[in-house]
Amino acid sequence: KAGVTQTPRYLIKTRGQQVTLSCSPISGHRSVSWYQQTPGQGLQFLFEYFSETQRNKGNFPGRFSGRQFSNSRSEMNVSTLELGDSALYLCASSLAFQETQYFGPGTRLLVL
Amino acid sequence: GESVGLHLPTLSVQEGDNSIINCAYSNSASDYFIWYKQESGKGPQFIIDIRSNMDKRQGQRVTVLLNKTVKHLSLQIAATQPGDSAVYFCAERHYNKLIFGAGTRLAVHP
């Protein structure tokens, strides 16, 4: 079974721009979570979607948003990028809400 | 790939030895715990999990121990191999959110 896939794998943007990252979960998985990973802050939870509804949200500003489609694929969007948004953005999928999460390889975002 | 964490605690072991990675978690109400392994340039890989109603769980070459009294979790890796070199994270589920520890770097020397 194919794992979680994320696109693009690498991205360079400038301050003030916006970015959309995509995640395709493991086939049959209906829950998708997003995390931000930085050397300084570690792995931090952004949000979790299940059945196209956001079920949980971390402590990030409103510039960070997401959505989930009927096929369980998910996107996250960051608007008005700041230098501090440079990070590895990880997507994880699980069979159902609150089940074991399996991570994708991440999208590495660099904001200049 | 870029380092997962630049100043993580490091555990250095000889190939073939057993490794024990420790984690102190924060919340007494956490009901589920997971260990992940992350190699450079990759996403975290699930290793083993344990629910709060258990104190020990074994997998292939790995054992997780949970001590709720002192809020401590450990991961034991038997016969450590060079391929085990990575950063290891514990995570606790607290009120429906996964909270990750800072991680420990495991370095396996031949």
Side-chain angles (χ1 to χ4, degrees):
Chain A
K1 194 183 269 191
V4 177
T5 57
Q6 293 186 244
T7 56
R9 292 294 312 279
Y10 303 93
L11 207 48
I12 300 175
K13 292 284 187 179
T14 56
R15 276 180 299 174
Q17 287 187 309
Q18 74 165 19
V19 67
T20 299
L21 311 181
S22 182
C23 171
S24 292
I26 293 170
S27 178
H29 284 198
R30 296 174 60 198
S31 180
V32 172
S33 297
W34 288 90
Y35 295 84
Q36 182 196 65
Q37 186 175 35
T38 59
Q41 299 296 318
L43 265 159
Q44 293 189 289
F45 171 74
L46 280 156
F47 22 67
E48 180 173 12
Y49 287 87
F50 177 71
S51 294
E52 302 176 66
T53 303
Q54 187 180 91
R55 301 300 179 116
N56 234 331
K57 190 176 189 305
N59 297 322
F60 279 81
R63 299 187 297 107
F64 292 81
S65 62
R67 59 178 177 167
Q68 186 181 33
F69 302 95
S70 58
N71 61 359
S72 296
R73 192 177 68 84
S74 177
E75 288 180 347
M76 67 162 281
N77 184 276
V78 188
S79 62
T80 320
L81 283 165
E82 300 176 0
L83 296 179
D85 297 333
S86 295
L88 181 68
Y89 289 89
L90 291 158
C91 167
S93 76
S94 55
L95 270 172
F97 181 59
Q98 293 299 298
E99 294 295 320
T100 303
Q101 297 182 7
Y102 297 89
F103 283 83
T107 294
R108 187 163 299 284
L109 172 65
L110 178 61
V111 182
L112 301 176
Chain B
E2 185 179 305
S3 297
V4 170
L6 298 179
H7 303 292
L8 294 174
T10 299
L11 174 66
S12 293
V13 300
Q14 292 293 123
E15 182 179 355
D17 286 353
N18 296 335
S19 302
I20 300 176
I21 301 172
N22 296 305
C23 174
Y25 64 91
S26 305
N27 302 287
S28 302
S30 293
D31 63 346
Y32 178 59
F33 305 87
I34 313 174
W35 280 100
Y36 286 95
K37 169 188 178 184
Q38 188 172 24
E39 297 172 281
S40 185
K42 297 183 178 180
Q45 175 189 353
F46 171 84
I47 301 173
I48 192 168
D49 58 2
I50 188 168
R51 299 194 183 273
S52 58
N53 61 353
M54 304 171 69
D55 53 23
K56 180 179 179 179
R57 189 157 190 236
Q58 288 183 290
Q60 187 176 18
R61 278 203 311 121
V62 294
T63 301
V64 55
L65 298 177
L66 175 63
N67 185 332
K68 295 183 287 294
T69 303
V70 295
K71 292 189 288 186
H72 184 267
L73 196 63
S74 69
L75 177 70
Q76 300 177 2
I77 304 174
T80 313
Q81 302 168 359
D84 295 327
S85 293
V87 176
Y88 289 79
F89 293 96
C90 66
E92 59 180 304
R93 186 171 66 193
H94 181 63
Y95 291 115
N96 295 331
K97 293 181 183 177
L98 269 187
I99 303 168
F100 284 81
T104 297
R105 188 180 305 279
L106 177 65
V108 183
H109 304 285

